[in-house]
Amino acid sequence: MTENTLLPLSFPAVGRKKITAAFDGGRITSDGGVMLLAAAERRLQLADRLAAVIHDRRDPERVTHAMADILRARIFAIACGYEDANDLDRLRTDPAFKLACGRLPDSGIDLCSQPTCSRLENLPDLRTVIRLSWVLVDLWLSSYAAPPASVTLDIDDTLDVVHGHQQLSLFNAHYDERCFLPIHIYDAATGRPVAMILRPGKTPAGKEIRGHLRRLVRRIRARWPTTRILIRGDSHYGRAQVMAWCENNAIDYLFGLPGNKVLQRLVDESADDIRTRRALERKPVLRGYAETRYKAKSWKAERRTCARIEATTLGLDIRFVVTNLDKGSAEHIYDVIYCARGQAENLIKMHKSQLASDRTSCRSPIANQVRLVLHTAAYWLMLTLREAVPTTHHLRNAEFATLRLRLLKLGARVIETVSRIRLAFAAACPEASLFRAIASNLLPTGP
């Protein structure tokens, strides 16, 4: 039944006819495109995979909402822009969301409410939340039909401002905020998320980074024993412990390196040449590259260091990177390989601003890690939806917010009869043909 407790709205008359409006249209949804997310989730089996590693201690005879159904509803809501669990208090009766979760829009029972979602977020213990994270890693590994010859993993952390006195929150002087600094790891070639790790609001130490990478690489090697792995990150990931571990385990690395007087002295001849040529040629800017061997006090051996030197009318700007890659010029190492790391920052921004991965307002860090897993699962659904867009379409590389606006936020009337369910979308929908194409692409290929 339609609940109508609000008074009608009034708008200015048009053609001498009075205009009124009320929220009494019946079984109409504003998120008809959630059915595309349901098709993407059915392909990935994401909710079932996550639910399989959570021990459900509830009495089976008294369970109304299965663990997979709770996860599915929460992930769909996040992907559609409803990042808070209490949004489900209203969405639980939405006909499209009920259909997407496998329930009949009228005769089926409503979806779970906010308290049920909150209990789920606080249910897993530390071992369970680790298994949930491995589900996402395995999902990334399974996204390749065959082990790739090489893979580049971009690692970076991001500011996650706390909303209260959560455990693990620390004051970070660089950001001037109490925060978490979760680590995000992405596959550079595909933009797919690999691992998301909630951690305190301080710069990670070398021992901590080495531990995270060791566990991740062990998981990858179990499936891809011959794949060449390149770890790429900015300067505070280029710790002595990390580089030594990579060298001992046949892992390639490329990290930013803070400049100092010793490094500048090593490339001073090249820098002076670039600065002089810029002045003689009267160019506003001139860029060059240099390569040297450098050993910091905490390093046990010299390592290859590449420098990007840029001379302008304001002076010199020199940036350094350190790597164990033995092929490629300094220009190729810096401009082609290292600078491509900037795409990971765009992925993190999209994860945060468009899927609200920083909505970590639980007190317990384990519950906040569960939330990070759920928001990353929503990332997977949106990525799968985008990959189903035809390659020639202009939305093939669109951001998630654009896909949500054009494909998910579609009004539809949901009609349930004895023998079928019908979704009636607007006849003037601008993306009707694209919607059809994506739905066809996401159909199961098996029997």
Side-chain angles (χ1 to χ4, degrees):
M1 298 293 292
T2 301
E3 180 182 0
N4 182 23
T5 59
L6 301 176
L7 296 175
L9 308 174
S10 296
F11 293 97
V14 174
R16 297 184 179 181
K17 293 187 178 181
K18 182 180 178 181
I19 300 176
T20 60
F23 292 91
D24 58 356
R27 305 300 285 172
I28 298 177
T29 179
S30 58
D31 298 279
V34 73
M35 298 304 297
L36 295 179
L37 293 179
E41 194 279 329
R42 192 178 300 112
R43 168 175 290 186
L44 299 176
Q45 294 294 307
L46 190 50
D48 292 330
R49 292 186 185 190
L50 294 172
V53 302
I54 301 176
H55 176 57
D56 192 351
R57 297 190 291 267
R58 298 177 296 175
D59 182 357
E61 296 183 357
R62 304 180 66 181
V63 170
T64 302
H65 306 287
M67 195 66 66
D69 292 337
I70 302 173
L71 291 168
R72 197 173 286 114
R74 183 79 168 96
I75 294 169
F76 287 164
I78 293 170
C80 288
Y82 306 105
E83 63 269 13
D84 292 322
N86 56 12
D87 291 320
L88 283 168
D89 285 340
R90 299 294 297 180
L91 294 175
R92 64 195 302 255
T93 61
D94 185 279
F97 273 90
K98 291 175 68 174
L99 266 181
C101 293
R103 300 188 179 182
L104 296 175
D106 289 332
S107 57
I109 62 173
D110 291 341
L111 302 177
C112 60
S113 59
Q114 175 269 324
T116 304
C117 289
S118 296
R119 284 192 292 269
L120 170 63
E121 292 173 353
N122 289 272
L123 173 64
D125 56 10
L126 180 59
R127 291 181 180 273
T128 302
V129 82
I130 292 173
R131 290 195 293 267
L132 287 171
S133 298
W134 288 135
V135 168
L136 298 179
V137 175
D138 291 339
L139 181 62
W140 167 67
L141 292 169
S142 300
S143 66
Y144 284 86
S150 63
V151 66
T152 299
L153 300 180
D154 283 323
I155 180 171
D156 202 357
D157 51 62
T158 183
L159 173 67
D160 183 352
V161 179
V162 299
H163 307 286
H165 297 287
Q166 292 100 316
Q167 297 172 7
L168 294 188
S169 66
L170 295 175
F171 179 79
N172 191 296
H174 176 74
Y175 296 106
D176 195 26
E177 295 280 3
R178 287 189 64 87
C179 62
F180 304 128
L181 284 182
I183 289 177
H184 289 232
I185 303 177
Y186 295 91
D187 180 352
T190 62
R192 294 167 182 160
V194 179
M196 310 294 151
I197 306 165
L198 188 77
R199 50 175 310 282
K202 62 179 180 179
T203 302
K207 184 177 179 180
E208 179 189 351
I209 300 168
R210 181 183 61 187
H212 293 318
L213 292 178
R214 183 178 64 245
R215 289 184 287 270
L216 177 60
V217 169
R218 185 188 304 132
R219 192 83 172 192
I220 297 173
R221 288 287 190 224
R223 295 273 295 272
W224 299 345
T226 61
T227 297
R228 188 169 182 176
I229 301 173
L230 170 64
I231 307 295
R232 189 168 60 185
D234 62 15
S235 57
H236 64 263
Y237 286 92
R239 305 302 178 93
Q241 302 96 319
V242 178
M243 291 187 286
W245 177 83
C246 288
E247 291 163 351
N248 294 334
N249 291 271
I251 303 295
D252 297 330
Y253 64 80
L254 177 57
F255 298 119
L257 184 64
N260 55 46
K261 293 182 179 179
V262 176
L263 281 169
Q264 291 175 357
R265 186 168 60 248
L266 290 173
V267 298
D268 185 62
E269 184 177 348
S270 299
D272 187 62
D273 175 65
I274 295 170
R275 176 170 47 197
T276 302
R277 286 193 289 114
R278 187 213 66 81
L280 292 175
E281 297 173 10
R282 297 183 178 180
K283 291 183 177 181
V285 60
L286 182 64
R287 175 178 290 194
Y289 303 86
E291 180 178 330
T292 186
R293 304 289 296 183
Y294 171 70
K295 179 181 179 298
K297 291 182 179 180
S298 59
W299 298 1
K300 294 183 179 180
E302 289 186 342
R303 294 187 169 97
R304 183 186 184 190
T305 304
C306 301
R308 187 271 287 156
I309 307 168
E310 190 170 87
T312 69
T313 55
L314 300 178
L316 280 176
D317 179 45
I318 306 177
R319 302 296 176 90
F320 298 93
V321 295
V322 59
T323 183
N324 63 345
L325 296 172
D326 54 2
K327 296 181 180 179
S329 64
E331 180 178 1
H332 179 80
I333 292 292
Y334 189 91
D335 273 357
V336 177
I337 303 180
Y338 181 74
C339 287
R341 189 191 65 84
Q343 178 60 18
E345 298 182 5
N346 294 330
L347 299 178
I348 292 175
K349 290 177 182 178
M350 193 159 57
H351 204 164
K352 287 176 59 178
S353 64
Q354 301 178 21
L355 290 174
S357 66
D358 57 349
R359 193 59 66 110
T360 47
S361 53
C362 295
R363 181 174 180 80
S364 164
I366 295 178
N368 283 324
Q369 177 65 42
V370 173
R371 285 195 173 189
L372 196 54
V373 168
L374 295 177
H375 287 262
T376 304
Y379 187 107
W380 269 103
L381 291 188
M382 295 300 290
L383 197 62
T384 304
L385 176 64
R386 187 171 68 180
E387 290 174 351
V389 175
T391 55
T392 57
H393 199 278
H394 68 279
L395 292 181
R396 175 70 179 190
N397 297 313
E399 293 191 346
F400 294 160
T402 303
L403 294 176
R404 179 187 298 139
L405 177 65
R406 304 290 290 272
L407 295 172
L408 302 185
K409 295 297 182 179
L410 301 180
R413 183 180 295 277
V414 183
I415 305 167
E416 178 185 348
T417 62
V418 175
S419 60
R420 68 179 62 189
I421 300 167
R422 183 171 181 269
L423 277 72
F425 293 97
C429 177
E431 305 296 344
S433 59
L434 177 60
F435 192 96
R436 288 176 179 272
I438 295 175
S440 177
N441 291 338
L442 291 175
L443 283 176
T445 56

